[in-house]
Amino acid sequence: MAERPPSNPFDLKRRQLLKFAGATAAVGGLGLQATLSLADEGKPKASGTDDGVLDVAIIGAGMAGLTAARDLQNAGCQSFVVLEARQRVGGRVLNHDLGGGQISEAGGQWIGPGQTAVADLARELQIDTFPTYYQGKTVVLGGDGRLEIDLKGTFGTDESIGAKLSELSKVVPSGAPWTSPRVAELDKLSMGDWLAQQNIKPEDRSGWDTSLTLTGGVTPAKMGLLHFLSMINSASCDYMKLDSIKDSAQGTRFVGGSQALCTRMAEALGDKLRLACPVREIADWDREVVRLITDQGEVRARRVIVAIHPALCNQVRFQPALPEGRAALQRAWPAHSPARKTAMVYRRPFWRDKGLNGHTLEIKGQVLWAWDNSPPDGEIGVINAFVVNAMVPSDHDAARQVLAQIYARSLGDEALSPIGYHDHDWGQADPWSLTCVSAIPPGFWSQHGPSLRPACGNLIWSGTETAEIWAGYMDGAVRSGHQSALQALGSLRKA
């Protein structure tokens, strides 16, 4: 039977190039190092050439950078290195160790329909998935009131308003929202502006405010309408596939946590991965060999994949200066969308016995959204939450007490006796985690969009923000890693 062609033309290009690269690897490492002699055959390939110049240097060991490294390695390229500023891999995915072999995700954790790139990667790495728990009633807290309601795997937002957004998203390409035929009209509005035009009842508006704040890390007034529509476009132009739990982008988790994908990819890299190695300066990016000045010395490479957050690039010195369009994009990119994620641990998920799903929505309160984040077997109970940083104490013990009181009101007095508590503020975690998500404001794409992806000399831009679909998600990070590896391999062969 003939092989079924991939539905995405990019997947076809990727397969063709990787097959071609694999075929040429035996005669000189992708044809890039033709000086290898017959005497070298059978010996391990060095991580660089005789002059110490690598084919590729990758900045960032998040999901994008590690995917790019994996693709290079699978294609037969051994002349590369991955430089990571942190003492760990994963970037914006991170697992809390709860003990006893259990974890809770501190960063990105979900995948859903259409996110095939990250799902394929998990299968290749033999990492299983399981559904997010949402069976039962959600508790809504507001003032002194408490309401139990079955939201059927949604956040309770108005479906008719969601349908309007879905229809609008059809004219906003996910990979290039600035090319929309309605860009002038749509990019001048925030989501707050647009919602104000829909005559939504105040009691219904709170659901939208919570949902959008969870998605973008900012209030609707700071979220660009054009940007949000491009996100919906990624979800097959279906708002409910983006901002729900059932059959949506929050529908599926990874056994062992999302960081397991990164640690497993990193294990295969050996000494090609350098941790605690921040890049301070990128010089000669417009010449044949790029020089990277790091805390562990200088690295030279013919191509550089920059797989870090665009705003984080502002902490790197570029010599010569980047083209003004790219530099302006980096300066304007939102650098701080506060996201603080907590995990309260219990001996068992006691709320399930009461017909509750563990989800809590607090209107104008300290908890944006809390949910059942227990392991797949329910061996222990875990309630994760996105909290309002300004309203929850920064002190670990004080925050634990405040949240336990809220959960007791929502789920029952058993919540007053947790056996563990974890807290991660992405805005304060380390110098390399400026933010968890990027909420793009009105007007940004119109002005800066065309500068997002084009290479600058021998610099190739990667990271989830550059993805053609599912930008900002783990799936987007994986896609951008594939794309940047292809760019590097292709440009090296042309050279």
Side-chain angles (χ1 to χ4, degrees):
M1 185 172 64
E3 181 181 0
R4 181 182 178 184
S7 58
N8 187 338
F10 169 71
D11 291 336
L12 177 60
K13 293 178 182 177
R14 174 174 176 260
R15 291 184 190 178
Q16 290 172 336
L17 183 52
L18 291 182
K19 288 179 180 178
F20 176 71
T24 60
V27 289
L30 291 169
L32 306 176
Q33 300 175 30
T35 57
L36 288 177
S37 67
L38 291 176
D40 292 325
E41 287 188 324
K43 296 181 181 179
K45 290 184 176 64
S47 59
T49 55
D50 291 341
D51 58 2
V53 179
L54 299 165
D55 285 334
V56 184
I58 301 171
I59 304 175
M63 203 162 285
L66 292 171
T67 298
R70 186 170 184 268
D71 281 3
L72 293 178
Q73 200 166 46
N74 287 344
C77 177
Q78 296 296 323
S79 180
F80 71 89
V81 69
V82 181
L83 309 173
E84 169 56 47
R86 299 175 181 87
Q87 292 276 8
R88 62 170 181 84
V89 300
R92 284 171 276 177
V93 294
L94 174 66
N95 288 347
H96 283 312
D97 183 1
L98 304 181
Q102 304 290 0
I103 63 89
S104 183
E105 304 92 338
Q109 68 174 81
W110 294 289
I111 66 171
Q115 297 187 5
T116 55
V118 68
D120 287 345
L121 177 64
R123 281 191 289 270
E124 292 170 11
L125 297 173
Q126 298 183 333
I127 294 175
D128 293 331
T129 61
F130 67 105
T132 302
Y133 191 88
Y134 61 86
Q135 290 78 17
K137 293 184 177 181
T138 294
V139 175
V140 180
L141 301 176
D144 295 329
R146 178 184 181 279
L147 174 67
E148 293 183 10
I149 184 171
D150 188 354
L151 295 179
K152 303 184 185 301
T154 73
F155 290 112
T157 48
D158 190 311
E159 291 188 14
S160 64
I161 301 299
K164 288 184 179 181
L165 288 168
S166 298
E167 186 64 27
L168 270 177
S169 73
K170 294 177 181 179
V171 298
V172 183
S174 59
W178 56 90
T179 65
S180 169
R182 298 178 62 180
V183 62
E185 167 196 356
L186 299 175
D187 204 22
K188 68 181 181 181
L189 297 176
S190 70
M191 275 303 300
D193 295 330
W194 187 84
L195 287 171
Q197 299 173 359
Q198 308 308 309
N199 298 317
I200 301 174
K201 296 178 181 179
E203 59 268 28
D204 295 331
R205 177 61 190 266
S206 62
W208 283 101
D209 290 348
T210 298
S211 177
L212 289 167
T213 301
L214 289 170
T215 299
V218 294
T219 62
K222 296 181 180 180
M223 167 77 82
L225 172 61
L226 186 76
H227 178 66
F228 191 63
L229 292 174
S230 76
M231 296 174 68
I232 300 173
N233 186 280
S234 286
S236 303
C237 298
D238 185 346
Y239 166 76
M240 297 306 292
K241 288 185 178 179
L242 182 78
D243 267 7
S244 293
I245 304 166
K246 180 183 179 182
D247 300 326
S248 86
Q250 286 68 234
T252 303
R253 296 171 57 198
F254 293 106
V255 175
S258 50
Q259 194 182 13
L261 279 74
C262 293
T263 54
R264 197 156 294 181
M265 285 191 287
E267 289 169 356
L269 297 179
D271 60 4
K272 289 182 173 59
L273 171 64
R274 301 182 192 177
L275 300 179
C277 188
V279 174
R280 306 295 184 178
E281 181 178 322
I282 300 177
D284 300 336
W285 52 265
D286 56 343
R287 299 185 180 182
E288 183 178 350
V289 175
V290 185
R291 296 187 299 113
L292 307 179
I293 312 304
T294 81
D295 284 4
Q296 296 182 21
E298 183 175 290
V299 174
R300 294 185 295 159
R302 294 181 176 83
R303 299 293 183 273
V304 176
I305 295 174
V306 185
I308 59 177
H309 190 281
L312 194 57
C313 293
N314 293 318
Q315 298 188 22
V316 180
R317 295 185 298 273
F318 291 89
Q319 299 291 342
L322 292 173
E324 179 52 29
R326 175 67 198 192
L329 175 140
Q330 292 174 179
R331 290 193 300 267
W333 199 283
H336 187 58
S337 298
R340 183 176 171 190
K341 196 173 184 182
T342 64
M344 195 78 78
V345 187
Y346 297 96
R347 297 192 183 280
R348 53 185 300 275
F350 60 86
W351 49 88
R352 297 182 183 181
D353 300 337
K354 304 177 182 183
L356 302 176
N357 58 20
H359 295 233
T360 300
L361 297 170
E362 190 177 18
I363 300 174
K364 296 182 179 180
Q366 294 153 297
V367 172
L368 282 170
W369 176 42
W371 66 95
D372 185 330
N373 210 57
S374 307
D377 57 5
E379 183 179 342
I380 60 172
V382 182
I383 295 292
N384 270 26
F386 288 114
V387 301
V388 181
N389 218 348
M391 299 176 68
V392 176
S394 57
D395 178 77
H396 183 276
D397 292 336
R400 168 176 166 157
Q401 184 174 356
V402 165
L403 294 178
Q405 291 286 343
I406 294 172
Y407 299 157
R409 183 180 165 204
S410 172
L411 308 175
D413 288 343
E414 300 96 323
L416 295 172
S417 304
I419 60 174
Y421 174 71
H422 296 268
D423 196 326
H424 195 87
D425 183 350
W426 282 95
Q428 303 293 328
D430 58 60
W432 321 111
S433 298
L434 299 177
T435 179
C436 187
V437 294
S438 294
I440 303 299
F444 183 93
W445 286 131
S446 298
Q447 183 175 358
H448 302 292
S451 299
L452 177 64
R453 296 190 191 91
C456 295
N458 290 318
L459 302 182
I460 297 168
W461 308 108
S462 188
T464 184
E465 290 79 14
T466 69
E468 293 280 355
I469 63 173
W470 292 110
Y473 290 76
M474 290 185 290
D475 188 78
V478 174
R479 291 177 188 273
S480 74
H482 290 322
Q483 178 62 36
S484 60
L486 281 173
Q487 282 184 254
L489 292 170
S491 65
L492 284 167
R493 284 208 55 81
K494 290 179 182 179

